[in-house]
């Protein structure tokens, strides 16, 4: 899996850029309506899911472990579709889905980061995975948070998560396998 991540560093970088853009929008525009927040997150989840599926397929082609990325990609796409199909009724469910998504994504990234640590000392994926797990736990504990608070939490998370992914991508870009 480490060789696949190094070979596809650009996909990791794009995921980081999209996360940063989502984070900035969520922080700068915290008063957005609940429906807009659901649609914005749905768009982010779809894009992130597609990139995770591409990484999983490439890992599978090279006989690498792709299960975590595959689950992450499918979950992201399902969440994105739900957000677009039922935006008005999806907000409460979205809080729990985001929490679940963040925990699963975090565990997958921690596993990928641990694989890279053995290879190149890449700890940034582990940190981004831990941030995902932390966001998920916070949302499970505080599901009644307002839309503004959710927007800020998601914005800060996405910004930090994106910075970690982008940093990891450029650090592993030049690592020889």
């Amino acid at each position: 899996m480490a060789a696949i991540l190094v070979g596809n560093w650009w996909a990791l970088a794009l995921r980081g850029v999209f996360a940063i853009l989502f984070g900035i929008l969520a922080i700068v525009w915290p008063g957005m309506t609940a429906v807009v927040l659901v649609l914005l997150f749905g768009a982010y989840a779809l894009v992130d899911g597609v990139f995770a599926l591409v990484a999983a397929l490439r890992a599978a082609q090279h006989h690498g472990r792709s299960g975590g990325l595959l689950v992450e990609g499918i979950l992201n796409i399902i969440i994105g579709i739900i957000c677009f199909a039922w935006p008005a009724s999806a907000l409460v469910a979205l809080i729990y889905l985001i929490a679940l998504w963040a925990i699963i994504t975090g565990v997958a990234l921690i596993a990928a980061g641990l694989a890279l640590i053995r290879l190149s000392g890449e700890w940034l994926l582990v940190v981004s995975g831990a941030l995902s797990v932390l966001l998920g736990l916070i949302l499970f504990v505080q599901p009644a948070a307002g839309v503004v608070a959710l927007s800020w939490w998601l914005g800060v998370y996405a910004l930090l998560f994106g910075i970690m992914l982008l940093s990891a991508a450029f650090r592993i870009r030049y690592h020889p396998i």
Side-chain angles (χ1 to χ4, degrees):
M1 179 183 245
I4 300 302
L5 286 172
V6 171
N8 294 298
W9 66 270
W10 58 270
L12 199 60
L14 280 174
R15 287 180 69 190
V17 167
F18 281 113
I20 290 168
L21 291 174
F22 174 76
I24 291 169
L25 283 173
I27 291 169
V28 172
W29 193 20
M32 70 179 94
T33 66
V35 173
V36 172
L37 177 62
V38 169
L39 294 175
L40 183 60
F41 179 76
Y44 168 74
L46 282 173
V47 170
D48 193 52
V50 168
F51 282 114
L53 283 180
V54 168
L57 291 174
R58 289 189 177 194
Q61 287 173 346
H62 293 87
H63 306 293
R65 294 185 178 189
S66 60
L69 291 170
L70 183 65
V71 169
E72 178 189 0
I74 291 170
L75 181 63
N76 285 352
I77 290 172
I78 289 170
I79 289 173
I81 290 169
I82 290 170
C83 289
F84 282 105
W86 303 284
S89 62
L91 186 60
V92 173
L94 180 64
I95 292 171
Y96 289 111
L97 288 173
I98 291 170
L100 181 64
W101 165 80
I103 290 171
I104 291 171
T105 296
V107 170
L109 285 171
I110 289 170
L114 291 175
L116 282 176
I117 283 174
R118 291 184 207 118
L119 179 68
S120 66
E122 190 52 62
W123 55 272
L124 293 171
L125 285 178
V126 174
V127 172
S128 64
L131 284 171
S132 289
V133 171
L134 180 63
L135 172 71
L137 293 175
I138 289 170
L139 290 177
F140 271 125
V141 171
Q142 294 287 353
V147 174
V148 173
L150 179 61
S151 180
W152 284 340
W153 275 110
L154 282 174
V156 169
Y157 156 76
L159 195 57
L160 293 174
F161 179 78
I163 290 169
M164 291 296 149
L165 285 183
L166 195 58
S167 299
F170 283 106
R171 284 181 55 123
I172 66 175
R173 176 183 181 191
Y174 298 108
H175 189 278
I177 303 281

